[in-house]
Amino acid sequence: MKFTKAFNNNVALVKDSSGVEWIVMGTGVGYQKNKGDSIPEESIRRKFVAEQSSTRKPLLQVLDEIDSEVLDVSVEIIKNAEAQLGVTFNNNIYLTLADHLNFAVKRANERIDYADTNRWEVKNLYPKEYESAKTAIRQVFDRLDVLLPKSEETFITYHFVNGQQAKKTKIEETLKMTEVINRIIEIVQYHFQLKLDEDSLNYTRFITHLRYFFIRQYKQDQTESEEVDLTLLELVKTKYEKAYQAVEKISNLLEKRYGWSLSSNERLYLTLHVWRVTNRQITK
């Protein structure tokens, strides 16, 4: 790898022996380098092809517009969040988060804030990512002496959720996931006339099931396991009648609003999850 340009001490543009440009990240990869200097592979922590970009602007132009200190703190935030969450984010988050924080800092300095109507849902659907987002805001304050508004807890959480997807995911998809899951939770709570215990293990399992259900529906993934025996579905329907009625309401909502239809498998598993998440609270 031959050095071409530094965006800051730890982020640089390089070119490989085939002439392909890469964005590389690592301690000191851009520090006091001259054009043509070799960059040791062992000093590179992350790299991605410079031409790949999920933004409307060219990648290099976006990086040029990001303040170097913001870029530095973005990398620190991502490393810290990966350690907190026990995950490895996809490379796309380095650009999207830095670009977002760059404008967030400018808005904060100008005392501009955006309305945040999804904080409750985000805090409960993605609690670990939400806590990491709160840590990220403290890191920005410690490094840049800029206090981001509380709405950024939600926006940064979305980036951490998206960054865990195997493929690049749009923020809009996560917003829609939040909307769908929230509607399902509302149906269950209204049907059973109770407030679900958000701290329970069964609630966590229920949310996890709904997240994977959403991804399958949104991606139109038809690679589902063999359909369950309808006799088993009828048994569950009879044994957990009220839970199945809630699933019917959920099915009607999804069909009318999103054009999604529940398979026999989804009806079975969703009924069991609904029964499990409500049963302990009812029987207390």
Side-chain angles (χ1 to χ4, degrees):
M1 296 283 190
K2 299 294 184 181
F3 176 83
T4 301
K5 175 183 178 180
F7 296 101
N8 63 22
N9 289 341
N10 304 312
V11 183
L13 176 68
V14 300
K15 188 177 291 187
D16 65 19
S17 57
S18 301
V20 177
E21 289 187 317
W22 295 78
I23 302 297
V24 296
M25 298 179 177
T27 304
V29 292
Y31 181 66
Q32 292 187 343
K33 296 290 192 306
N34 296 313
K35 190 170 183 178
D37 285 351
S38 294
I39 305 295
E41 286 287 343
E42 58 269 21
S43 67
I44 298 173
R45 184 174 181 271
R46 290 284 182 93
K47 65 178 181 179
F48 48 101
V49 178
E51 287 78 7
Q52 294 179 342
S53 173
S54 60
T55 64
R56 293 174 183 174
K57 296 180 183 179
L59 178 79
L60 298 182
Q61 182 183 343
V62 173
L63 282 171
D64 273 332
E65 293 174 355
I66 297 173
D67 183 272
S68 62
E69 288 187 328
V70 172
L71 194 55
D72 263 342
V73 76
S74 297
V75 174
E76 288 181 12
I77 285 170
I78 291 166
K79 288 168 62 178
N80 185 73
E82 285 182 328
Q84 281 187 327
L85 298 171
V87 301
T88 299
F89 293 128
N90 59 51
N91 286 334
N92 190 49
I93 194 175
Y94 284 92
L95 174 65
T96 58
L97 182 62
D99 190 38
H100 173 83
L101 288 178
N102 199 51
F103 284 102
V105 168
K106 291 178 181 178
R107 289 195 300 269
N109 287 329
E110 296 170 3
R111 300 185 182 278
I112 299 173
D113 193 8
Y114 289 144
D116 174 18
T117 59
N118 294 320
R119 182 179 300 133
W120 182 90
E121 291 92 338
V122 168
K123 182 178 180 180
N124 288 280
L125 293 179
Y126 315 110
K128 293 181 180 179
E129 290 84 355
Y130 186 81
E131 287 302 314
S132 292
K134 290 168 65 177
T135 301
I137 290 175
R138 288 196 296 271
Q139 288 179 267
V140 171
F141 181 73
D142 290 342
R143 282 290 306 273
L144 306 179
D145 198 26
V146 175
L147 182 60
L148 297 180
K150 202 166 183 63
S151 59
E152 285 300 324
E153 293 174 356
T154 297
F155 302 138
I156 295 173
T157 298
Y158 285 138
H159 282 281
F160 290 159
V161 173
N162 290 341
Q164 295 176 58
Q165 302 296 332
K167 297 180 180 179
K168 293 179 181 179
T169 308
K170 295 180 179 179
I171 292 290
E172 291 82 0
E173 180 178 326
T174 304
L175 287 168
K176 187 170 184 179
M177 180 191 293
T178 303
E179 175 194 332
V180 170
I181 294 177
N182 189 46
R183 296 293 81 78
I184 292 174
I185 295 295
E186 286 178 349
I187 288 173
V188 172
Q189 292 187 139
Y190 184 80
H191 182 72
F192 283 89
Q193 289 295 292
L194 58 79
K195 178 76 167 62
L196 296 179
D197 181 3
E198 296 154 8
D199 296 323
S200 70
L201 179 59
N202 286 327
Y203 184 86
T204 301
R205 288 171 174 166
F206 186 41
I207 294 300
T208 300
H209 177 78
L210 293 179
R211 288 170 69 172
Y212 283 110
F213 162 73
F214 172 87
I215 292 170
R216 288 194 297 272
Q217 293 289 334
Y218 193 82
K219 302 292 186 183
Q220 297 183 331
D221 184 1
Q222 302 301 320
T223 58
E224 195 171 18
S225 58
E226 185 178 345
E227 286 290 299
V228 298
D229 187 340
L230 292 181
T231 305
L232 178 58
L233 181 60
E234 286 298 318
L235 178 63
V236 169
K237 178 179 176 181
T238 302
K239 186 173 182 179
Y240 308 121
E241 182 178 3
K242 193 166 185 177
Y244 189 82
Q245 290 171 352
V247 170
E248 285 289 277
K249 291 180 179 180
I250 293 168
S251 178
N252 290 336
L253 171 77
L254 296 176
E255 177 68 35
K256 289 177 181 178
R257 184 166 295 186
Y258 307 107
W260 298 348
S261 53
L262 293 181
S263 66
S264 298
N265 281 1
E266 286 296 353
R267 288 175 186 273
L268 173 68
Y269 298 134
L270 195 51
T271 299
L272 293 174
H273 276 288
V274 169
W275 175 81
R276 186 180 292 119
V277 79
T278 58
N279 184 59
R280 284 192 175 181
Q281 290 182 230
I282 293 172
T283 55
K284 282 181 180 178

